[in-house]
Amino acid sequence: HNIVFARTSGQPGDARGITAFIVPLNPEPASGMSVVRFLWTFNMPTDHAHVKLENVRVPAQAMLGEEGEGLAIAQRFFNENRIRQAAASLGA
């Protein structure tokens, strides 16, 4: 599964209007999603990726949280990930 953040309303740059979706990689409905490349942070592999979406449809049940409130979900993940990244960097 991937968590995909997509603008579902509003204008680019607006905090509201981004929705988070849990999208399965296999099987359908996400057969049109593929990982283009994984990103590296501080010379270490991460689970962040650039993905390509082509004709991907997901049911409303795939929405994570409330519609248009996905930015708060992303910020929470980033804040928690900073602690993990700091510990990994210290260990390295």
Side-chain angles (χ1 to χ4, degrees):
H1 289 79
N2 282 333
I3 297 178
V4 175
F5 296 90
R7 177 155 303 281
T8 55
S9 64
Q11 299 297 317
D14 289 349
R16 295 193 186 275
I18 297 170
T19 303
F21 298 92
I22 299 175
V23 182
L25 288 173
N26 288 308
E28 296 287 337
S31 62
M33 180 159 60
S34 59
V35 174
V36 175
R37 71 181 173 105
F38 282 98
L39 303 175
W40 284 60
T41 302
F42 299 115
N43 204 32
M44 297 171 63
T46 69
D47 54 356
H48 304 118
H50 286 178
V51 297
K52 183 177 180 179
L53 302 163
E54 289 188 65
N55 300 317
V56 175
R57 298 184 65 83
V58 293
Q61 298 92 318
M63 200 174 348
L64 179 61
E66 299 295 320
E67 183 174 356
E69 299 296 324
L71 183 59
I73 294 169
Q75 288 173 325
R76 180 175 176 168
F77 168 78
F78 286 130
N79 286 336
E80 291 176 0
N81 194 48
R82 285 185 179 114
I83 295 168
R84 182 184 66 86
Q85 189 64 45
S89 297
L90 181 62

